Amino acid sequence: MPTLTFLGATGTVTGSKYLLETGGERLMIDCGLFQGLKELRLRNWNPLPIPPSTINWLVLTHAHLDHVGYIPRLVKDGYRGEILATPATVDLAKITLPDSGHLQEEDAAYANKIKSSKHSPALPLYTLDEAVKSLESFRAIDDSKPLELSSHFTLRFFGAGHILGARSIEVTIRENGKTLKVLFSGDLGRYSQLIIREPAVPDAADFLLCESTYGDRLHPTDDYQARLAKIVETTAQRGGAVVIPAFAIGRTQELLYIFRTLIEKGQMHSIPIHVDSPMAIHVTDVYLRHREDNNLETAALESHGGQPFSPPNVHFDRTVEESKALNNAQGPRIIISASGMATGGRVLHHLAQRLPDPRNTVLFVGYQGAGTRGQKIQSGAKFIKIFGVDISVHAQIEDIGNLSGHADYGEILKWLGRISSPPQQTFITHGEPGPAESLKEKIIQQLHWKARAPVYLEKVSL
Ligand SMILES: [Zn+2]
């Protein structure tokens, strides 16, 4: 009998990893890193319940680290199969995985320096070299048609509308004359987006795994572009800078696209805009190279020779020197920098520099996970620890939730509602306990489907 094991993304938005087994074959869907709270991060060090060498295939929904960041470790621990993903996901993973390896090495070096680890010496989960090596196993697939892996497993892909290359994955399992479909939503994006096409809806599923990041929330529906322009204008009038911690993939490109539009329409003055994240700069190149997921408006703009991600006065700061020079830069400007939840990266320098000054604004544009610096600043912390120093928070703190890359519960229910028949079971994954529970209740009450949130390492028969 086919089984499904939840190796992550239960009670958390991180660590997405699912295992399907049938007829002696093993297929893994996503291979994400646990992030955020320490008890979650420690799970990255637990061996998987099955040897990685016994997994036949790994297929990816998209290139965010909470879906791909464990891959180098999986390969290091013996996985020898192919890693299948859309061409854009492969190109994005070539950027995110080496960067992650570099960060793992930095974290280990820092732990050794301050002797914070029980282990001596502290070791990285994987190194930059191991991350680069794991890329050799990637294979870009043609996701426009079904992909038969074996007599047991066939895959179909549906645009998930989340980031470039993101897909929902339908797995058809055949065993002993019985056929069933398991649908993995992946991370679902929003409807009516600026750059990426909205999510497509698979027709049916016997078992469904549905993400629930925003299972308890609706995104605001106000004119957020006008609000964004006002935040920038008000800060500029004070002579301050707007620091935006932004995910390198997706959010940075949307911000550039919006600033370009606002300035062109005369709704915002043109001030220097710095993209201070080497990863975001590389990712922007990938967005320009892969147009297959573009919505009509973006596609039309590009086909007329427009540069969607180049507002006037934009500076892509590639070198450390350029980044450091920004610290001393006076006067109005916008600084877009990663990481999006202020857990690391160059944005920490900008926050340490700009948070104490009330002329500045720190603007959050995406999900801030539990325990992250971003979430602490967002919820009104007066001090925040950066590089071991308490930094006082006097800057204006703003939040524009409309730019989230995730569907809210209304959009998730809309997506689910278009699936033609009720699945035998809907598993609520990829959400913190509150949002997951909230979405479960809504699915039961509004769609009258069976739904439940699985627990970590739970194995179910299908
Ligand atoms: Zn994602």
Side-chain angles (χ1 to χ4, degrees):
M1 185 179 275
T3 60
L4 166 65
T5 311
F6 298 90
L7 300 173
T10 50
T12 163
V13 295
T14 69
S16 278
K17 274 182 223 83
Y18 310 105
L19 187 72
L20 283 171
E21 298 175 82
T22 199
E25 291 180 338
R26 288 179 164 153
L27 166 63
M28 191 179 219
I29 313 287
D30 281 347
C31 190
L33 205 58
F34 287 104
Q35 296 166 304
L37 300 172
K38 189 172 183 186
E39 63 172 273
L40 290 173
R41 282 184 281 125
L42 287 173
R43 287 184 186 169
N44 292 321
W45 294 91
N46 298 343
L48 292 182
I50 47 126
S53 61
T54 64
I55 301 169
N56 303 83
W57 306 273
L58 167 60
V59 56
L60 306 176
T61 60
H62 66 288
H64 274 148
L65 278 188
D66 55 327
H67 295 256
V68 304
Y70 189 78
I71 288 174
R73 184 72 195 200
L74 190 81
V75 172
K76 179 180 178 169
D77 289 348
Y79 178 68
R80 291 294 170 264
E82 286 185 319
I83 301 166
L84 308 167
T86 60
T89 296
V90 173
D91 280 353
L92 290 173
K94 283 179 187 166
I95 298 169
T96 55
L97 287 181
D99 183 74
S100 175
H102 173 68
L103 287 177
Q104 299 286 343
E105 288 191 64
E106 265 188 0
D107 286 353
Y110 183 68
N112 287 326
K113 192 171 149 207
I114 63 164
K115 301 195 172 24
S116 70
S117 171
K118 296 196 295 268
H119 307 282
S120 185
L123 296 171
L125 190 63
Y126 52 84
T127 63
L128 167 64
D129 286 349
E130 286 161 346
V132 170
K133 175 138 190 36
S134 73
L135 296 172
E136 292 169 11
S137 306
F138 276 69
R139 176 159 73 89
I141 47 139
D142 173 5
D143 63 291
S144 66
K145 53 183 195 232
L147 177 64
E148 189 173 326
L149 297 177
S150 72
S151 59
H152 293 117
F153 292 118
T154 299
L155 311 177
R156 276 206 305 166
F157 300 85
F158 299 85
H162 172 57
I163 58 166
L164 186 74
R167 298 290 179 270
S168 301
I169 301 176
E170 176 201 87
V171 184
T172 302
I173 305 176
R174 283 174 303 273
E175 192 186 348
N176 299 332
K178 186 177 145 192
T179 298
L180 56 87
K181 285 181 180 177
V182 186
L183 176 61
F184 297 81
S185 72
D187 286 3
L188 289 173
R190 310 198 55 196
Y191 289 86
S192 308
Q193 299 184 89
L194 293 171
I195 300 171
I196 301 288
R197 237 176 305 180
E198 61 188 33
V201 186
D203 35 16
D206 297 297
F207 294 91
L208 171 60
L209 286 81
C210 184
E211 74 123 320
S212 58
T213 313
Y214 283 102
D216 61 347
R217 267 179 278 179
L218 292 175
H219 295 310
T221 53
D222 64 334
D223 183 353
Y224 69 95
Q225 299 203 14
R227 194 149 60 91
L228 179 64
K230 186 155 179 253
I231 291 168
V232 172
E233 293 285 308
T234 312
T235 309
Q237 279 161 15
R238 293 196 297 255
V242 181
V243 178
I244 311 181
F247 296 100
I249 307 175
R251 209 69 58 254
T252 296
Q253 293 73 33
E254 276 179 346
L255 283 166
L256 291 173
Y257 187 85
I258 295 168
F259 285 133
R260 180 186 167 283
T261 316
L262 287 171
I263 294 166
E264 268 181 13
K265 289 183 185 162
Q267 292 170 343
M268 192 184 112
H269 287 95
S270 175
I271 59 173
I273 301 173
H274 295 268
V275 180
D276 186 31
S277 156
M279 197 206 277
I281 295 168
H282 291 136
V283 168
T284 304
D285 288 341
V286 175
Y287 265 71
L288 287 169
R289 274 208 311 278
H290 288 275
R291 292 148 188 230
E292 57 270 23
D293 288 0
N294 281 359
N295 66 23
L296 289 176
E297 189 187 323
T298 321
L301 178 74
E302 283 193 273
S303 65
H304 288 89
Q307 289 291 327
F309 312 124
S310 293
N313 222 343
V314 69
H315 305 267
F316 292 98
D317 295 327
R318 291 167 198 273
T319 66
V320 174
E321 288 68 36
E322 286 170 318
S323 177
K324 282 186 176 159
L326 258 184
N327 278 335
N328 303 319
Q330 300 293 321
R333 64 196 61 247
I334 296 165
I335 301 170
I336 303 171
S337 188
S339 74
M341 297 194 276
T343 49
R346 287 186 181 178
V347 78
L348 293 185
H349 294 277
H350 300 303
L351 290 173
Q353 181 80 10
R354 309 276 174 177
L355 273 172
D357 186 337
R359 289 176 302 172
N360 299 323
T361 298
V362 174
L363 169 63
F364 292 99
V365 291
Y367 184 80
Q368 303 299 313
T372 61
R373 276 193 201 87
Q375 189 242 349
K376 286 176 191 161
I377 298 171
Q378 203 180 32
S379 45
K382 295 282 170 246
F383 291 90
I384 199 83
K385 211 171 222 67
I386 299 178
F387 305 125
V389 177
D390 275 330
I391 304 288
S392 60
V393 179
H394 295 294
Q396 183 183 339
I397 308 300
E398 292 285 348
D399 184 358
I400 291 187
N402 317 54
L403 276 173
S404 169
H406 286 273
D408 61 20
Y409 74 74
E411 291 164 315
I412 295 174
L413 288 169
K414 178 175 169 181
W415 185 81
L416 292 170
R418 291 182 177 176
I419 295 174
S420 56
S421 60
Q424 290 176 44
Q425 183 63 270
T426 299
F427 297 105
I428 311 300
T429 60
H430 200 285
E432 283 167 13
E437 185 63 24
S438 174
L439 182 65
K440 184 191 89 177
E441 290 303 322
K442 289 183 180 72
I443 290 174
I444 293 171
Q445 283 165 15
Q446 296 186 26
L447 300 174
H448 309 293
W449 292 5
K450 278 177 75 177
R452 70 180 183 86
V455 295
Y456 180 48
L457 299 181
E458 184 176 344
K459 184 173 185 173
V460 295
S461 298
L462 302 178

